Amino acid sequence: MSAADAENHQQCMERFIALANTMKNEGVPTRVVSAALMTASGVYATYSVAGNSGGLHASGVEKVAAAYKQNLENIQRLKRAESGEGQGEG
């Protein structure tokens, strides 16, 4: 990822988090906000690959799921490193 893409990525992520926090502050349970963000992300991931009228084949679903898994693992690794925690589940 280029430096410009990384900066755009960070800014977009911060905007999504701010919107999620706004929803939470409006009384929407965090589990509902999280599920809605995941659904929206899945819809947009499908759109980015297949367009408005297409869908993902099983192999595409697996690729997107693997990307989500890798991203989540990276986030958890960073959070543990920031807090000085070990590799525990949770």
Side-chain angles (χ1 to χ4, degrees):
M1 182 180 302
S2 72
D5 284 348
E7 179 63 26
N8 282 332
H9 176 274
Q10 183 69 26
Q11 289 174 0
C12 288
M13 182 203 59
E14 289 172 4
R15 289 174 65 187
F16 285 124
I17 296 296
L19 178 58
N21 284 331
T22 297
M23 291 180 206
K24 175 194 61 117
N25 293 340
E26 292 170 348
V28 180
T30 55
R31 70 182 185 285
V32 174
V33 173
S34 178
L37 282 169
M38 287 175 54
T39 301
S41 178
V43 169
Y44 206 83
T46 300
Y47 162 73
S48 72
V49 172
N52 277 332
S53 59
L56 300 176
H57 296 287
S59 62
V61 171
E62 290 299 321
K63 287 178 184 176
V64 171
Y68 277 104
K69 183 176 187 273
Q70 182 63 51
N71 196 16
L72 187 57
E73 288 172 349
N74 290 341
I75 292 164
Q76 300 317 304
R77 192 171 21 262
L78 288 170
K79 290 181 93 39
R80 283 191 298 272
E82 288 173 357
S83 69
E85 290 182 20
Q87 297 285 335
E89 296 269 333

